[in-house]
Amino acid sequence: MTEPLTPTALAGQRAHPAPGGPPGGPHPRLVPVLLLKHGVIVRSQLFKVHQVIGNPLSSVERFSHWNVDELIVLDISRGSEGHDLRRDDLQQSYDGDDVLDVLRAIAEVCFMPLTFGGRVRTLWDIEARLAVGADKVALNTAAFETPELIEQAARRFGSQCIVASIDAEKTDAGWEVRVDGGRRATGLDPADWARDLERRGAGEILLNSIDRDGAGQGYDLELIRHVTDAVEIPLVACGGVGRYEHFAPAILDAAAAAAGAANIFHFFELSYPQAKRTALAAGVPLRPLRLGSKYLPREPSYDRAREDARLAERLRQAEEADYPAAQPAAAIKRQPIRWCSHCTYPSISAAPMEFDAAGKCTGCQMAEVKAAIPPDEWARRTELLHDLVERYRCRDGSRHDCVVAVSGGKDSYFQVHVVKEVLGLNPLLVTYDGNNWTEVGWRNMVRMREAFDADHIVVRPSVETLKRLNRLAFQVMGDMNWHAHVGIMTVPMRVAAERGIPLVFYGEHGYLDLCGQFSMDDFPEVTYRDRLEHFARGYEWSYFLGREGLTAQQLDTWKYPSDTRLLELDLRGLFLGNYVHWEANAHIKLVTERYGFEISEEPFDRTYRTMSNLDDMHENGVHDYLKYIKFGYGRGTDHTCKDIRASLMNREDAIELVNRYDPVKPRDLLRWLDYVGMTEETFDRMADTFRDPRVWRHEDGRWVRDRLERSRP
């Protein structure tokens, strides 16, 4: 048996590194910190606001692709509520709702040292976490309430796997340790507390600044130095990183053994490699940067037998009308649905969100933040954008300045207007053709080349390939538009990579707008993780290889550029909505009057709006109807929420529209059934297998859900 390391032994690993390098000593580390809350990864702001990022498995898997030095996962859940991904149509998921179920699944895709903390109270808790995959366990509140637990744990498991987590808040006199998720003051100075924890056997300190959490202003270097001067064991600093340049000072100036951060690793493509490259350039003697994992390639390798069995089971359920949501066992997942107190979004939705104590969703919270941005701040953001594009502008006319991803919709017109008229760039317009155009949508798309005097590439995969993907995606994930979601997020990036164009523009960040996934100061960009998890639901092009005879060549349209190419070109996908005030109702006037954009004269079945989604007749139709089948809401909810937040509609009128439009079975279903060769009965049976048991119940032969009602008749 390996002898546990003691604090004295660990002193030999002390990483208060000399700035020149670590001869004979350990390398300092860059450490991503993931916050797990009731089954999903969240972004944190001041320990109070938590915005849902998504699936912990896809996040951890992405860090494995980047060979990160070490990973910390902290479970910040509270109360008795368990862990739940909140939807069942994802390819990656975990079984069970216990923290150990989640940790066990994380460990399967984690190819780096893993520290796991949160809700650890006993030696058994530590042992259980180590047994299912953690290399170290972090203790915070329990260490304060029962300090001898640190001693007992160090004796039993070894100091090398016991991490003492300290949350510190600035006070008039210095800093104070707080516990219980920052809610409870202790009266302890963090340096004194760290010294005591070291004496008791902790092998490492994780120090988090509450004041800097989510602020993006850089580390509290005085706090870090205050603690590193007090202890010999390694310290991981956390809290405040908003730019890659913030990492190095924690190690070089404040003597931390590792620089940790949470939020920034969710914002940008290749965030960890970029952070490491910046820190190395600053002189931090980190391990070399490496891309790609021999154990876990970026494009998922699916267990074909397992996936075939899953698909066969769903086909059987549809054939025999044996629907999961109708089974007695589904009752355990059922939960009362609540709605945002300001808009009409339900608590179970396709767009992940949280509610505050007043019942307001994160989408509305971020919309208020956006509405409060003054004109001079928008002007500053536009200047930021000007500075950024100058780095990528072509100086010799050998290529386009940028790619603009366009579908021919109103947002596409506004994007190109900004890129050409405000930024003065020479864009290449790129369109993915999913073969679902409305007549007016097609005219709008074709008109763009002349309206903007720009080169325009339209990528048009084979119709037969599209039909097969429509059928397969409907059967696999209950959404025939996988090809469109992934195509739109792939084709422009791929064209840019192939032509050596380092900048791609999209319009709004959809989840920031709908559900407040990020802060307005995060400036999130296009990432492979976001594409695979949220747009593809975990199903990469390779999933479809060989199904209905599809070949690698036929699936070529949906292949994303490699990480090596992304890093080599410094390819960035920017969302203009982070820099330019985005209000669709205002844009429509400009693009109609100036560029001849046409709105639909024919109303949609499932929404009152006629200016949205003209490029795909099924987006507002059968695709959206399937969202209603799964989650109990649809485009009527989406659009009323946008209009409430824009102060164009009150909530009472919105509820009436939601209940009128969301349940409608649309007419375009007939076109889709004829397109793919399916009967309506087969469609209905398959769709019912995707009803979410958290939302739906089967009573007296009918599907029933809770419904949002007006407060006045």
Side-chain angles (χ1 to χ4, degrees):
M1 179 178 176
T2 304
E3 189 70 20
L5 292 176
T6 65
T8 303
L10 283 165
Q13 296 186 18
R14 180 182 182 184
H16 296 179
H27 287 278
R29 295 159 281 156
L30 287 190
V31 181
V33 179
L34 292 179
L35 303 177
L36 176 69
K37 184 177 182 182
H38 298 301
V40 292
I41 298 300
V42 297
R43 175 199 183 282
S44 176
Q45 183 92 27
L46 300 174
F47 278 39
K48 294 175 182 174
V49 178
H50 296 137
Q51 294 147 285
V52 179
I53 298 297
N55 190 332
L57 306 185
S58 58
S59 296
V60 173
E61 196 169 79
R62 194 66 177 130
F63 289 129
S64 290
H65 301 153
W66 298 335
N67 299 289
V68 309
D69 297 329
E70 188 171 329
L71 179 67
I72 297 174
V73 180
L74 301 177
D75 179 8
I76 62 170
S77 310
R78 294 182 61 80
S80 58
E81 184 182 342
H83 292 276
D84 184 9
L85 280 172
R86 309 180 191 180
R87 57 189 301 172
D88 295 336
D89 59 348
L90 304 176
Q91 197 280 327
Q92 278 190 306
S93 63
Y94 44 80
D95 296 325
D97 62 358
D98 187 86
V99 65
L100 298 180
D101 298 321
V102 183
L103 174 54
R104 188 179 294 107
I106 285 175
E108 290 181 4
V109 293
C110 183
F111 292 87
M112 54 237 154
L114 172 63
T115 298
F116 198 90
R119 301 208 281 191
V120 176
R121 298 289 178 183
T122 66
L123 289 176
W124 185 90
D125 289 337
I126 299 170
E127 184 173 5
R129 283 154 180 74
L130 293 173
V132 299
D135 300 292
K136 306 177 193 175
V137 175
L139 295 87
N140 188 309
T141 304
F144 171 74
E145 294 178 341
T146 316
E148 56 272 22
L149 183 61
I150 293 288
E151 298 168 41
Q152 296 166 358
R155 279 199 301 270
R156 182 161 175 178
F157 307 108
S159 292
Q160 80 283 350
C161 65
I162 303 302
V163 178
S165 173
I166 299 175
D167 299 326
E169 187 174 58
K170 187 81 172 172
T171 67
D172 292 339
W175 298 270
E176 181 182 13
V177 175
R178 298 185 72 91
V179 296
D180 196 18
R183 297 169 186 79
R184 189 159 31 125
T186 65
L188 293 172
D189 178 272
D192 294 339
W193 180 227
R195 196 179 292 114
D196 190 22
L197 291 164
E198 179 182 37
R199 181 183 61 80
R200 292 176 182 277
E204 188 170 82
I205 300 291
L206 169 61
L207 177 65
N208 200 355
S209 166
I210 294 174
D211 313 280
R212 299 297 177 99
D213 181 52
Q217 299 170 349
Y219 292 107
D220 184 341
L221 297 177
E222 289 185 32
L223 168 64
I224 299 169
R225 172 62 76 180
H226 182 60
V227 179
T228 54
D229 282 347
V231 297
E232 294 292 321
I233 55 178
L235 180 144
V236 182
C238 194
V241 171
R243 304 199 309 268
Y244 298 138
E245 291 78 7
H246 288 156
F247 284 101
I251 295 170
L252 298 179
D253 300 338
N263 296 340
I264 192 172
F265 291 117
H266 304 306
F267 301 161
F268 311 116
E269 183 58 282
L270 300 176
S271 54
Y272 188 85
Q274 295 284 11
K276 197 162 204 178
R277 187 155 71 173
T278 303
L280 284 165
V284 182
L286 300 167
R287 290 192 306 150
L289 169 64
R290 290 187 300 123
L291 277 181
S293 168
K294 63 181 179 182
Y295 305 106
L296 195 67
R298 191 188 71 174
E299 269 69 22
S301 179
Y302 300 96
D303 183 334
R304 184 59 183 254
R306 177 175 176 269
E307 296 301 328
D308 284 351
R310 286 176 60 178
L311 182 55
E313 171 59 13
R314 187 169 298 279
L315 293 170
R316 183 202 65 76
Q317 291 167 357
E319 175 69 23
E320 299 177 9
D322 182 18
Y323 308 122
Q327 300 303 313
I332 196 170
K333 278 194 168 183
R334 205 157 293 140
Q335 52 186 268
I337 303 299
R338 57 191 178 120
W339 284 265
C340 174
S341 58
H342 184 67
C343 69
T344 57
Y345 266 125
S347 53
I348 294 296
S349 69
M353 60 178 65
E354 291 277 292
F355 291 77
D356 66 11
K360 187 177 290 184
C361 74
T362 43
C364 286
Q365 294 172 49
M366 290 307 113
E368 290 176 356
V369 171
K370 179 180 174 182
I373 295 176
D376 59 341
E377 169 58 16
W378 283 117
R380 187 189 73 85
R381 288 169 180 255
T382 303
E383 284 306 307
L384 283 177
L385 186 57
H386 275 290
D387 292 344
L388 192 154
V389 300
E390 287 308 312
R391 291 169 50 192
Y392 299 99
R393 187 189 295 271
C394 179
R395 307 293 177 190
D396 61 6
S398 61
R399 59 166 172 81
H400 296 85
D401 293 320
C402 64
V403 163
V404 184
V406 296
S407 65
K410 63 184 186 314
D411 291 341
S412 299
Y413 272 67
F414 186 69
Q415 286 166 237
V416 184
H417 166 75
V418 172
V419 165
K420 285 209 68 170
E421 301 302 322
V422 179
L423 301 177
L425 298 175
N426 173 29
L428 172 62
L429 313 187
V430 177
T431 297
Y432 167 81
D433 180 357
N435 201 39
N436 288 337
W437 301 95
T438 64
E439 290 186 10
V440 64
W442 177 259
R443 290 198 299 271
N444 282 331
M445 188 274 289
V446 170
R447 184 182 297 114
M448 293 195 79
R449 183 176 62 167
E450 291 189 13
F452 292 100
D453 187 24
D455 296 333
H456 191 173
I457 292 176
V458 182
V459 175
R460 313 189 71 186
S462 141
V463 172
E464 181 56 33
T465 297
L466 289 172
K467 288 180 179 179
R468 294 180 196 180
L469 286 174
N470 268 262
R471 279 191 298 267
L472 284 167
F474 171 58
Q475 293 168 346
V476 169
M477 66 191 83
D479 180 3
M480 69 285 291
N481 266 8
W482 174 94
H483 71 94
H485 306 319
V486 178
I488 290 166
M489 297 309 296
T490 300
V491 167
M493 300 296 284
R494 180 168 169 166
V495 168
E498 290 171 349
R499 292 172 172 248
I501 303 171
L503 208 54
V504 178
F505 283 104
Y506 285 82
E508 278 185 296
H509 188 289
Y511 275 6
L512 194 164
D513 176 53
L514 287 177
C515 58
Q517 187 178 46
F518 295 98
S519 156
M520 284 301 295
D521 290 330
D522 292 343
F523 297 89
E525 299 182 2
V526 173
T527 67
Y528 177 82
R529 185 201 62 79
D530 190 49
R531 167 189 168 277
L532 181 59
E533 177 183 338
H534 294 300
F535 290 91
R537 298 184 181 82
Y539 294 95
E540 187 53 276
W541 67 269
S542 53
Y543 179 90
F544 298 98
L545 186 60
R547 300 186 185 280
E548 287 209 24
L550 287 170
T551 66
Q553 179 275 315
Q554 289 170 316
L555 292 164
D556 200 53
T557 301
W558 295 272
K559 295 176 184 174
Y560 204 68
S562 71
D563 281 352
T564 301
R565 181 59 177 152
L566 294 176
L567 188 65
E568 174 185 80
L569 186 59
D570 189 20
L571 178 56
R572 299 176 66 173
L574 304 184
F575 293 99
L576 271 177
N578 291 327
Y579 301 91
V580 179
H581 186 259
W582 205 272
E583 172 45 54
N585 291 290
H587 299 168
I588 192 71
K589 185 172 187 299
L590 182 147
V591 301
T592 301
E593 293 178 355
R594 183 159 177 176
Y595 299 106
F597 177 82
E598 299 178 64
I599 62 173
S600 175
E601 295 181 356
E602 183 178 353
F604 291 103
D605 293 341
R606 294 184 50 75
T607 180
Y608 56 95
R609 278 191 176 187
T610 56
M611 63 180 181
S612 302
N613 302 111
L614 305 181
D615 54 305
D616 189 328
M617 71 180 76
H618 299 312
E619 274 293 300
N620 281 344
V622 63
H623 161 75
D624 186 61
Y625 178 65
L626 282 169
K627 184 166 72 178
Y628 170 74
I629 292 293
K630 288 181 182 178
F631 302 109
Y633 79 99
R635 199 69 80 189
T637 296
D638 292 330
H639 288 164
T640 57
C641 288
K642 285 173 177 278
D643 287 341
I644 289 172
R645 293 168 185 170
S647 301
L648 298 173
M649 183 179 293
N650 66 55
R651 190 168 185 268
E652 292 295 301
D653 290 343
I655 293 172
E656 192 276 330
L657 291 171
V658 164
N659 288 331
R660 184 196 308 174
Y661 285 106
D662 278 359
V664 172
K665 193 173 189 178
R667 289 168 293 171
D668 65 281
L669 171 62
L670 297 179
R671 181 267 184 183
W672 188 81
L673 293 173
D674 181 62
Y675 182 54
V676 301
M678 185 179 293
T679 67
E680 187 167 351
E681 181 184 7
T682 299
F683 172 87
D684 287 339
R685 283 171 173 263
M686 182 60 68
D688 282 346
T689 68
F690 287 99
R691 288 189 187 263
D692 196 310
R694 299 167 187 80
V695 176
W696 294 96
R697 54 193 185 275
H698 204 242
E699 295 178 355
D700 302 324
R702 295 186 310 119
W703 290 106
V704 179
R705 65 182 173 100
D706 294 337
R707 206 175 86 137
L708 179 60
E709 300 291 351
R710 301 175 68 175
S711 58
R712 55 180 167 78

